[in-house]
């Protein structure tokens, strides 16, 4: 049994198995990233529900609708045209992704999640001409989180965001701040070299 037969057999057994994506020319980073994002059931469910409830009449498809369409693609041929559309849209938004150069998958995922967040941001839209009012320092984590949600409240944050608390103490002056984070970078320990004789 070769690899292609094994994959075909797996896909035939499991209707929820991911569709194989065609490499459009150095797009392994994009394909792997999209497969990873589409393998997060809660994210797919929420963006699909959001898209079906979104009443905005946008003449050109946004990245959100393109991802939902890619997820709904039932065949490899359908997926290819959707991948091409996503690659084109990404190149329009981020010039470095035009053409067929290799890219970093992590960078692609971060930018993709930013676009999905922007497409689903439910925060109140702030009038740019309105006078700026500084938010008071939050008393606790819940208040800090609510202040953040007033400006940044999208589906991606529902799933991937959290808070980091920093406490400072110097003499009689103590205080805490809360920073919203959407990712944690983990440093992997360097592997030990094992010499075989």
């Amino acid at each position: 049994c070769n690899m292609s037969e094994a994959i075909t057999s797996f896909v035939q057994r499991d209707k929820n198995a991911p569709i194989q994506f065609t490499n459009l020319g150095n797009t392994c980073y994009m394909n792997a990233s999209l497969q990873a994002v589409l393998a997060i059931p809660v994210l797919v469910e929420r963006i699909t529900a959001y898209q079906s409830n979104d009443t905005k009449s946008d003449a050109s498809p946004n990245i959100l609708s393109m991802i939902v369409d890619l997820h709904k693609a039932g065949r490899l041929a359908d997926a290819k045209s959707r991948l091409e559309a996503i690659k084109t849209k990404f190149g329009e938004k981020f010039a470095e992704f035009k053409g067929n150069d290799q890219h970093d998958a992590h960078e692609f995922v971060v930018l993709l999640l930013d676009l999905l967040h922007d497409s689903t941001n439910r925060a109140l839209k702030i009038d740019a001409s309105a006078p700026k009012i500084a938010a008071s320092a939050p008393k606790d984590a819940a208040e800090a989180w609510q202040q953040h949600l007033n400006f940044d409240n999208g589906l991606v944050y529902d799933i991937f965001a959290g808070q980091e608390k920093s406490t400072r103490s110097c003499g009689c002056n103590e205080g805490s701040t809360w920073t919203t984070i959407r990712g944690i970078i983990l440093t992997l320990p360097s592997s030990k070299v094992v010499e075989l004789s």
Side-chain angles (χ1 to χ4, degrees):
C1 176
N2 66 30
M3 183 59 91
S4 180
E5 290 171 355
I7 291 171
T8 302
S9 174
F10 173 73
V11 171
Q12 288 171 345
R13 284 193 318 267
D14 184 358
K15 298 297 182 200
N16 294 322
I19 299 168
Q20 295 174 311
F21 290 161
T22 302
N23 189 334
L24 305 174
N26 285 333
T27 57
C28 296
Y29 70 91
M30 180 180 80
N31 294 355
S33 300
L34 290 169
Q35 288 284 17
V37 167
L38 292 173
I40 304 169
V42 67
L43 178 61
V44 172
E45 289 166 13
R46 289 185 183 190
I47 63 175
T48 302
Y50 184 89
Q51 188 216 17
S52 64
N53 293 330
D54 189 12
T55 57
K56 292 182 235 168
S57 58
D58 190 19
S60 68
N62 63 24
I63 200 73
L64 176 79
S65 61
M66 292 177 164
I67 297 296
V68 171
D69 287 346
L70 179 62
H71 176 67
K72 290 179 180 177
R75 299 175 311 143
L76 184 59
D78 294 336
K80 183 179 179 193
S81 64
R82 287 163 173 84
L83 285 172
E84 290 168 341
I86 290 170
K87 181 161 179 6
T88 299
K89 181 63 106 178
F90 230 78
E92 291 169 5
K93 293 291 257 179
F94 308 104
E96 65 267 30
F97 284 94
K98 283 186 177 177
N100 290 327
D101 293 338
Q102 291 182 353
H103 294 282
D104 181 69
H106 179 258
E107 182 181 351
F108 182 87
V109 168
V110 168
L111 293 172
L112 176 63
L113 291 177
D114 283 346
L115 289 176
L116 291 175
H117 172 71
D118 291 346
S119 297
T120 63
N121 194 350
R122 300 174 299 247
L124 300 173
K125 301 299 178 206
I126 306 300
D127 182 0
S129 64
K132 304 291 184 238
I133 301 171
S136 60
K139 298 180 297 241
D140 57 23
E143 189 175 316
W145 185 247
Q146 190 54 54
Q147 283 181 4
H148 173 76
L149 293 181
N150 289 337
F151 300 98
D152 233 348
N153 186 5
L155 297 180
V156 172
Y157 272 35
D158 291 349
I159 300 166
F160 298 108
Q163 288 178 305
E164 177 180 71
K165 180 180 179 181
S166 298
T167 304
R168 67 186 178 291
S169 176
C170 54
C172 62
N173 187 4
E174 292 185 7
S176 295
T177 57
W178 292 269
T179 305
T180 302
I181 57 172
R182 201 188 67 216
I184 299 173
I185 305 291
L186 300 176
T187 304
L188 299 176
S190 60
S191 61
K192 296 181 180 177
V193 177
V194 176
E195 292 185 31
L196 301 174
S197 39

